[in-house]
Amino acid sequence: ELGRLLAISRCPGVLDPRIAYGIQLLLASAQRRRTVIGATRNRFKRYPETPDEEAWYVPPYWRKSGSKRGNRYHLVPVMSWGAKAVYELDKLSDFEGSSGCLFPARSRNSKKSADDGLLNDYLEVMPGIHFSPQCVRYALAEYGERDLVFSKSEAKLILDHLEGTESDDVTGQFYSTNPAIARKRQMMSAWCAWLDNWAERAIKEEPRLLDHDWLCESIYRNRYGEDRLQRRISLRKKQGTPLWGVDPKQKRPARKRGAS
């Protein structure tokens, strides 16, 4: 199901880009849903030594028992396609008056992030997905030991927020050479590759995970019900417009209302 979720998030045009990249950040980082939704662009750093990675400095207030941690941050390496998701989210957040939130509230002028349950709402309606964001963390701990040669309880390096570092004096050299950071990078690189493999296996098992229209219809049905889906089908048929807009892979313009 983890691979299936990654595959769905990668299918162009099925999800809003911010949601698609948000799911990828959740999977790649294995951080809590509140931490992901509350992320701000200034907490991510990309160093010259590691141009294809993002160093995420999770603030104390997003850490477990954060009030007892002072000003120390939890450093999480975001690797591979997770780093690309951060880059894309950063671009989406780059507009005048932006609060810097990667997931801003609906009101454009709001300085707050979106509701904590945003990703839950989407996971609940995706075909074949039966887990909550928290389960990604469980998976890192369980399958990391089973498949990725993590030592017993070593996943705590990523999941446990007891460790901390200062956000304002960490250099790229420290990020690259510190033993704990080096191990974190190894672990998260292996984790992303493991998820890639399961995404490929999920697609092989069910090729429809590459089908834009099938995914859109399944998500719509799960969210709004069969009756509303049938009304949409009937209305779009009368209008002569595509049921789900344009499949980005096809790059065909939508038919205008009344077109033959």
Side-chain angles (χ1 to χ4, degrees), residues 186-202:
Q186 291 173 350
M187 293 167 67
M188 297 311 282
S189 181
W191 171 246
C192 285
W194 185 86
L195 288 169
D196 267 330
N197 177 60
W198 279 104
E200 292 174 5
R201 293 175 65 170

Side-chain angles (χ1 to χ4, degrees), residues 176-236:
S176 299
T177 62
N178 178 277
I181 303 306
R183 180 55 182 151
K184 285 184 179 183
R185 292 172 61 215
Q186 291 173 350
M187 293 167 67
M188 297 311 282
S189 181
W191 171 246
C192 285
W194 185 86
L195 288 169
D196 267 330
N197 177 60
W198 279 104
E200 292 174 5
R201 293 175 65 170
I203 291 169
K204 186 175 181 179
E205 182 178 316
E206 183 161 14
R208 290 187 301 180
L209 293 176
L210 297 176
D211 188 329
H212 168 271
D213 288 358
W214 179 77
L215 286 172
C216 287
E217 180 173 320
S218 298
I219 291 171
Y220 191 93
R221 177 185 287 107
N222 291 340
R223 173 170 287 177
Y224 300 114
E226 185 65 32
D227 289 346
R228 188 163 170 179
L229 171 63
Q230 293 305 318
R231 289 199 299 271
R232 180 187 178 98
I233 292 173
S234 177
L235 178 61
R236 292 301 176 94

Side-chain angles (χ1 to χ4, degrees), residues 2 5-6 22-30 81 131 136 191 195:
L2 290 165
L5 177 61
L6 180 57
I23 288 170
Q24 291 172 28
L25 176 57
L26 176 80
L27 289 170
S29 68
W81 42 267
F131 63 87
V136 178
W191 171 246
L195 288 169

Side-chain angles (χ1 to χ4, degrees), residues 61-96:
Y61 49 80
W62 288 128
R63 294 165 56 199
K64 191 173 183 179
S65 302
S67 61
K68 300 178 181 179
R69 309 299 179 219
N71 296 318
R72 296 181 70 77
Y73 287 61
H74 176 52
L75 200 160
V76 179
V78 185
M79 316 295 285
S80 184
W81 42 267
K84 182 181 185 297
V86 173
Y87 175 75
E88 297 295 338
L89 287 166
D90 183 81
K91 288 197 300 184
L92 291 172
S93 301
D94 188 16
F95 57 86
E96 186 177 352

